[in-house]
Every structure is written in C-alpha cells, then in structure tokens.
Amino acid sequence: MPPRLRICPQCYHLLKHQPTSYRYLATASAITPAAPPFQTISSPPPIARFPRTQPPSHKPPEFRKSQLHRQYTSLLRSTPLLLLFQHNNLKATEWMSIRRELQFALEKVDNDLSTNLAPAIKIQTIQVGIFESALLVAEYFDPKQHRTASKPHPTDPSTQSSVSLANHTPTPADPTFRHYLSRTAHAAASPYKESHPLRPLLSGPLAAMSFPTVTPQHMRAALSILAPKAPTFPAPTRRANPGYHDATVQQGLQKLMLLGARVEGKVFDNEGARWVGGIQGGMEGLRGQLVRILGEVGAGVTGALEGMGRSLWVTVEARRSMLEEEEKGTSGGSNEGLANKGKEHSIGLWSVIWGRNPNR
C-alpha cells in the first residue's frame, strides 16, 4: 500500500474555500442571459466545403499539368504575338547562349525606339499536349457567355440553412464554375479539337516566343538572331556582334526551325511570320501605308467625278461658242432669232445635264 500524501498546514485554508468557489460558478452559469430573439428565428449560413479561391476543377489543381495549363492559358490570353519554333535536343548551354544574344539584340531595338519591351519578351519550351488544350480554352471559351443564373453562396450571411444550394459540395460538374480548369471550359473547347488552324504546327518538341505587343521591329530583330534570312533578316556580322558567331550559339541555332506565328488570333506560316516582321516602320508605318492607300482611292474617285463634269462643261461651251459664231455671221433680225434659239438650246442642254427646269 503506497504511503499517504501529507498536506502541509499552510494548504488547509485553500481546501476550506474550494466548495465556495464551486458555488459561485454554479450561480454564474445559472444567470447567463438568453440568446437574442433574431438567433431563435434564423440560423447561421451553411459552411462551404471548398475555399472561394480554389473551386473544384476538371483536373486536380495540385498537379503540375494543371498549373502548366493555367500558365499557358494566361499566356495565350495576354500575348498578341507568339512565334513557334521546333527545337531538337538543345543543351542548356546552347539555350543560355541563344537567350543572351537574343536579349542583346532586343535591347538594341529598345534603345533605338526608346521602349522597354526586351525584359517582357521570353522564349521557353512548351509541352505540346497541354499547350493545345490551353489554346482551345483560350480561343473558344468565354466565361461571360457561359454564365448561369446567380444563386446564393454558402458563405453569404443572408443565406439561410433551409435554402437549397447548388455549389455547397465540391462537384466539378457544377455549371456555376467557369474558371479555365472547370468542366464547363473543357466541354466548351472539346468540339474544336480537330479544327483549330494552329493544330498542324503543334507536333514534336516546340518552343514559344511571346511578345507583350505586336512590334515588327522587335520581331525582325528576333528573327535575325533565331532564323536569319537575307536580305530582310540578315544575321549580325562578326564585327558588329562577335558573340553571335560562337560555336555554342551556332550549334544551337542549327537545331531551331521557325514554324509559324499567331498574331492577334490569326495563324501565319513561316512566310507570313516573316512578312509581319518585315513591315517597314512597324505598326506606325503600316497605319501610314493604309492612310496613303485610302487617300489615293479617294483622290481617284474625286478625279473621275471631276473629269466627267469637266468633259460635259467643255462640250456645252463648245456648242455655245459655235452658236455665237453662227449668230455673228447672219443679219440683224435673223441674228436675234438665232441668238435666242442658241440661248434656249444651251439652257435646255444644261437643264438636262443638271436635272433642272429651264423655266424657273
């Protein structure tokens, strides 16, 4: 039998007051006020089973493929100009050398145009299957067009627990989910999988070069580095850029091939991409050419209309002069009759031309 625990004399007064403290606690719990009246007629809203910032998706969002899909969709939505290249087993040192020379050429264009677009122009390798799926979602899915009727959300304080909710359970088939990884987006893009014009180029190992805006000057500089072709896209000379002629850079460029471009949602092949990069003066030059063509068309139409009126005026004036000469060659009474007749004939001819009444 274990020995008893001895209590020190100084602790007796604590044991003496212990029942009193319990009595006070019981009294306090007995006088707790009742709940307010509005709590008796309403209940707290139901709790959502998923966070607002991460709704259920068609593919698990924690996978790397899902994150790449979101990244490619955002890239295609925000990039008006995209170049596609096919690369064949480029090494890391070759990619690093090519990016160095590309950055050097783009910065030179920025200095000439007083812009700062070189840091935003990137080239990266892509996974073709995920990129194709993201391309279809970016092209054919619009969250505003697939909007359904608004329903109360579980986290809304005005929502009662007796209200039937459609999005309080994490089911990916819920049509209220309209993000890029939702099943609604997947169903909207699936019918166009075989008909997209960029699909023939999406095969093999690919690299994409994105531009934040349509700038033919920067595109020309990039093509002069990655896919040079004289005379429009000449490669830098050894004197101007010795680093471009390094063995690492040249070996990497031999493994790159330009396939096409996507400009403002339109697909261009190799020659079409070079045509966009070869626009003289950039977008301002293209607008100037358009204004000049429209001015020439307007001037041509104006000249044609003026020519018709001028020819009619010459004909009428020649007829009037002929009648005046005949008038001078006759006698007085006959002259007045011919003059009046010529005048009436001239007025009648002018009224027929201009559609007026000669008696007015």
Side-chain angles (χ1 to χ4, degrees):
M1 182 176 180
R4 289 186 177 182
L5 296 178
R6 297 184 179 276
I7 301 176
C8 60
Q10 290 82 4
C11 297
Y12 281 109
H13 68 282
L14 296 176
L15 296 176
K16 185 183 299 183
H17 295 285
Q18 188 70 19
T20 305
S21 62
Y22 281 124
R23 184 174 63 252
Y24 288 151
L25 289 175
T27 305
S29 61
I31 61 176
T32 302
F38 69 89
Q39 290 187 1
T40 60
I41 60 177
S42 63
S43 59
I47 300 175
R49 300 178 185 272
F50 60 90
R52 293 290 298 271
T53 58
Q54 189 177 350
S57 61
H58 181 63
K59 298 291 184 179
E62 63 271 10
F63 289 172
R64 183 174 180 270
K65 292 182 179 181
S66 301
Q67 298 303 322
L68 285 177
H69 191 282
R70 296 180 61 184
Q71 178 183 349
Y72 293 158
T73 306
S74 177
L75 178 67
L76 291 168
R77 287 275 188 176
S78 60
T79 301
L81 177 57
L82 189 72
L83 296 179
L84 289 178
F85 294 89
Q86 184 177 5
H87 66 90
N88 298 315
N89 299 325
L90 269 76
K91 299 179 181 179
T93 55
E94 295 172 350
W95 275 119
M96 183 179 61
S97 302
I98 290 174
R99 287 190 175 99
R100 181 195 64 209
E101 299 302 324
L102 185 62
Q103 189 72 15
F104 177 77
L106 295 175
E107 289 177 354
K108 185 177 180 180
V109 177
D110 278 344
N111 295 332
D112 297 338
L113 301 179
S114 300
T115 56
N116 190 24
L117 297 178
I121 300 175
K122 303 293 183 182
I123 182 172
Q124 59 180 340
T125 60
I126 59 176
Q127 293 191 13
V128 180
I130 303 175
F131 185 83
E132 181 180 0
S133 177
L135 177 63
L136 296 177
V137 172
E139 288 281 349
Y140 301 111
F141 176 69
D142 187 3
K144 296 181 181 179
Q145 295 181 357
H146 294 79
R147 181 173 298 177
T148 57
S150 59
K151 296 182 179 180
H153 196 271
T155 59
D156 189 0
S158 62
T159 304
Q160 304 300 326
S161 60
S162 59
V163 178
S164 59
L165 301 176
N167 57 350
H168 68 284
T169 54
T171 56
D174 194 342
T176 58
F177 301 133
R178 299 182 302 273
H179 53 89
Y180 294 142
L181 291 178
S182 63
R183 188 165 295 178
T184 305
H186 177 75
S190 296
Y192 304 96
K193 186 174 183 180
E194 303 294 335
S195 60
H196 196 276
L198 196 63
R199 190 174 183 274
L201 302 180
L202 300 178
S203 61
L206 297 182
M209 185 175 184
S210 58
F211 295 78
T213 182
V214 179
T215 163
Q217 296 93 333
H218 291 82
M219 185 177 177
R220 186 185 306 113
L223 292 179
S224 299
I225 297 295
L226 301 176
K229 184 179 180 180
T232 309
F233 306 96
T237 60
R238 189 178 296 271
R239 182 185 296 273
N241 189 2
Y244 177 79
H245 296 273
D246 291 345
T248 308
V249 178
Q250 294 300 318
Q251 291 175 3
L253 293 177
Q254 292 177 2
K255 303 175 184 178
L256 276 179
M257 182 176 63
L258 177 64
L259 297 180
R262 178 178 178 267
V263 184
E264 296 289 349
K266 304 297 182 180
V267 179
F268 293 83
D269 58 356
N270 191 340
E271 297 300 328
R274 293 185 183 276
W275 175 82
V276 175
I279 297 175
Q280 298 296 330
M283 297 302 296
E284 296 297 331
L286 185 61
R287 295 188 184 99
Q289 295 178 12
L290 180 60
V291 171
R292 184 173 64 254
I293 293 173
L294 294 177
E296 292 176 355
V297 172
V301 173
T302 305
L305 296 176
E306 289 181 353
M308 295 174 60
R310 190 181 297 111
S311 63
L312 291 174
W313 179 82
V314 170
T315 303
V316 173
E317 290 296 325
R319 178 61 178 170
R320 189 180 65 175
S321 62
M322 183 178 65
L323 293 175
E324 289 178 353
E325 290 177 359
E326 292 179 357
E327 179 185 359
K328 292 179 182 179
T330 58
S331 57
S334 302
N335 292 341
E336 292 179 0
L338 290 174
N340 294 332
K341 185 178 181 180
K343 184 176 179 182
E344 292 177 359
H345 181 74
S346 177
I347 293 174
L349 186 58
W350 275 108
S351 62
V352 169
I353 293 172
W354 299 107
R356 296 179 180 176
N357 188 358
N359 297 326
R360 292 181 182 180

